[in-house]
Amino acid sequence: MFAAYVTVTVLAALFTGGAAVTYLIGHDYPKAQLDMKRLPRSWGPVLGTLLAAGSVGLLAGFAVPLLGTLAAGGLVLYFVGAFAAHLRVGSRQLVGPAVFLVVVVAALALNLGYHGPW
């Protein structure tokens, strides 16, 4: 159980950390995604900061389990919102947000399974 918890948590932190970097450096892909979802580009740095905080929180959860649980829960909400934003504009490009959502849900489930709810 511990190995799965560590592996999935680190994988989720790498995924979300990588996404955060693309938002924070102003890469073209997140800008195109914001445009496609009809969201203001000014949200890019905010979304990148949320992803970065979630990524760091997942890793900090190894030292403070409650922090990891809260970070994973926040990332689940983030990617549910991303999925909803795709559906709102009629986008059928759902694989990306679905993969991220599955990974962070798995991280949350393993965190709760390993540490318990509190």
Side-chain angles (χ1 to χ4, degrees):
M1 176 73 162
F2 179 73
Y5 159 64
V6 170
T7 302
V8 171
T9 300
V10 169
L11 181 66
L14 288 173
F15 275 24
T16 56
V21 168
T22 63
Y23 273 97
L24 293 172
I25 67 171
H27 192 271
D28 288 337
Y29 181 74
K31 290 177 185 176
Q33 288 294 304
L34 289 168
D35 292 342
M36 183 263 301
K37 294 173 197 149
R38 288 180 249 151
L39 298 171
R41 284 192 175 187
S42 63
W43 285 21
V46 174
L47 296 174
T49 302
L50 291 173
L51 286 168
S55 182
V56 170
L58 286 174
L59 297 176
F62 291 126
V64 182
L66 180 60
L67 189 57
T69 303
L70 293 173
L75 287 168
V76 167
L77 293 175
Y78 178 96
F79 287 110
V80 166
F83 205 83
H86 276 270
L87 293 176
R88 180 180 63 87
V89 297
S91 170
R92 298 294 175 243
Q93 299 172 3
L94 302 175
V95 174
V99 168
F100 277 90
L101 181 59
V102 166
V103 171
V104 297
V105 165
L108 177 60
L110 288 167
N111 186 314
L112 290 172
Y114 185 72
H115 293 293
W118 302 113

